[in-house]
Amino acid sequence: MKLLILGGTRFLGHHIAAAARARGHELTLFHRRKHGLAVDRDIETITGDRNLDLSKLRGRQWEAVIDTCGYFPDSVRASAEALAESVERYVFISTVSVYADFSECGMNESSPVVTLSDDDVNRARTIDASGPVSAATYGSLYGGLKVLCERAAEEVLPGRVLSVRPGVIVGPYDYTDRLTWWVARVARGGEVLAPGRPGRHLQFIDVRDLSEWVVAAIEQRQAGLFNATGPAETVTMAGLLETCRTISGSDARFTWASEQFLLDEQVTPWTEMPLWLPEEALPRKRGFMAISSQKALDAGLRDRSLDETVGDLHRWHAGEPQGRTLHAGLPPDREQQLLERWHSVRDVC
């Protein structure tokens, strides 16, 4: 098949391109050349900015386009209109952040989604997205904007859109470093500060599993909404950290501090303490890592083992330049201070 990828050189797009190549498909990448991952010389590359000029895409034919970088509905609508006569299928990479309420577990594709007001959309338009765009660029508006992006594509190409809603995506080249930080921190060894309840459930998907399924879904001519989270088996925080220790062979030992202590010490969930959402303080986030991907599983989505994901991430990070700055996690001195304070609090109690 001939496939067009909007993006294709940063994390998910990079892995989708690799999965498509592995399955024998012919690729064209349309991107701004603003990210550093190498592109194979035999892959056709069109340089352009989707928000400024899509004329280079007109007059061509592809079986499908995979939109990995659509964050604003106007942009997605323009892309869909420009490609309406050029593609059979429009694949839009959305997010589980589209859901309005995470207080319950097991949400599926029919669960209520975020609604934005006209004022919200106008406020989003004023946000400077000239640099690298991510969920953080639009903050609390992110999920609602993705809802509008899904609808914009479907309005232009009714019945021809596959909207994929991933959860937390992890793996080599992950620029958020949410799982990478834990892998690297445990590999460093020593006493490791761990958050809250060891048995707390986690949910994330390996970028390669997601990419392989996206390509397979195109081959199957799937359309509609699909959650794509994982893994299918239960992963706990303790299980993740133990796996990181086993893979790296480090002498790490885990000290589990209470969530209240971490909040009192103003540890920022999700960023300073990756993959941690306080259970008592954020009850409306209870189901964020317990979303149903049964529809995608029935359509062929498969999850590799935690050992394989952590092992490959460990090897990738170890091969990166020494001193690479991680974009998540506690600095060593801050972690040490927190460990000392936690031990002093426990001693007093």
Side-chain angles (χ1 to χ4, degrees), residues 149-210:
C149 288
E150 293 177 357
R151 291 174 180 169
E154 184 64 27
E155 287 168 5
V156 176
L157 301 167
R160 295 161 57 190
V161 178
L162 169 65
S163 287
V164 182
R165 295 172 172 175
V168 177
I169 309 173
V170 301
Y173 303 111
D174 177 11
Y175 53 87
T176 72
D177 291 320
R178 287 174 294 218
L179 181 55
T180 309
W181 185 81
W182 284 113
V183 171
R185 174 62 193 92
V186 173
R188 197 168 77 236
E191 187 178 14
V192 178
L193 182 66
R197 185 167 59 88
R200 184 172 56 86
H201 177 71
L202 300 178
Q203 189 179 50
F204 45 77
I205 187 167
D206 189 298
V207 65
R208 295 162 297 180
D209 296 330
L210 176 60

Side-chain angles (χ1 to χ4, degrees), residues 63-269:
E63 272 79 11
V65 56
I66 305 148
D67 186 346
T68 69
C69 54
Y71 287 87
F72 203 83
D74 291 353
S75 175
V76 172
R77 183 180 299 278
S79 300
E81 289 174 345
L83 293 166
E85 303 301 323
S86 301
V87 300
E88 297 175 8
R89 187 80 57 208
Y90 196 105
V91 181
F92 178 67
I93 305 300
S94 187
T95 172
V96 296
S97 294
V98 298
Y99 294 113
D101 184 3
F102 293 98
S103 61
E104 298 297 328
C105 298
M107 287 184 298
N108 60 33
E109 291 81 0
S110 64
S111 297
V113 294
V114 176
T115 300
L116 294 185
S117 67
D118 291 342
D119 286 345
D120 290 330
V121 176
N122 288 333
R123 182 156 53 94
R125 287 194 175 97
T126 68
I127 295 173
D128 179 13
S130 57
V133 180
S134 67
T137 303
Y138 293 109
S140 62
L141 301 174
Y142 170 64
L145 289 173
K146 284 286 192 177
V147 172
L148 295 177
C149 288
E150 293 177 357
R151 291 174 180 169
E154 184 64 27
E155 287 168 5
V156 176
L157 301 167
R160 295 161 57 190
V161 178
L162 169 65
S163 287
V164 182
R165 295 172 172 175
V168 177
I169 309 173
V170 301
Y173 303 111
D174 177 11
Y175 53 87
T176 72
D177 291 320
R178 287 174 294 218
L179 181 55
T180 309
W181 185 81
W182 284 113
V183 171
R185 174 62 193 92
V186 173
R188 197 168 77 236
E191 187 178 14
V192 178
L193 182 66
R197 185 167 59 88
R200 184 172 56 86
H201 177 71
L202 300 178
Q203 189 179 50
F204 45 77
I205 187 167
D206 189 298
V207 65
R208 295 162 297 180
D209 296 330
L210 176 60
S211 299
E212 290 165 9
W213 181 77
V214 166
V215 175
I218 294 170
E219 295 169 350
Q220 298 163 11
R221 288 170 169 75
Q222 296 279 4
L225 303 173
F226 287 83
N227 292 335
T229 58
E233 76 270 14
T234 298
V235 173
T236 64
M237 193 70 200
L240 170 62
L241 297 187
E242 292 289 350
T243 299
C244 291
R245 179 167 59 185
T246 299
I247 293 295
S248 65
S250 78
D251 65 352
R253 58 191 187 279
F254 308 118
T255 296
W256 296 89
S258 72
E259 293 192 335
Q260 191 58 55
F261 168 81
L262 296 174
L263 292 170
D264 289 344
E265 293 294 327
Q266 299 183 337
V267 175
T268 308

Side-chain angles (χ1 to χ4, degrees), residues 1-5 17 20-29 42-44 60-64 66:
M1 301 175 73
K2 291 184 178 181
L3 304 178
L4 169 66
I5 302 179
R21 289 291 304 279
R23 298 172 77 100
H25 301 306
E26 183 180 334
L27 290 180
T28 301
L29 305 184
D42 58 343
I43 295 179
E44 180 187 17
R60 299 283 301 273
Q61 293 295 317
W62 295 276
E63 272 79 11
I66 305 148

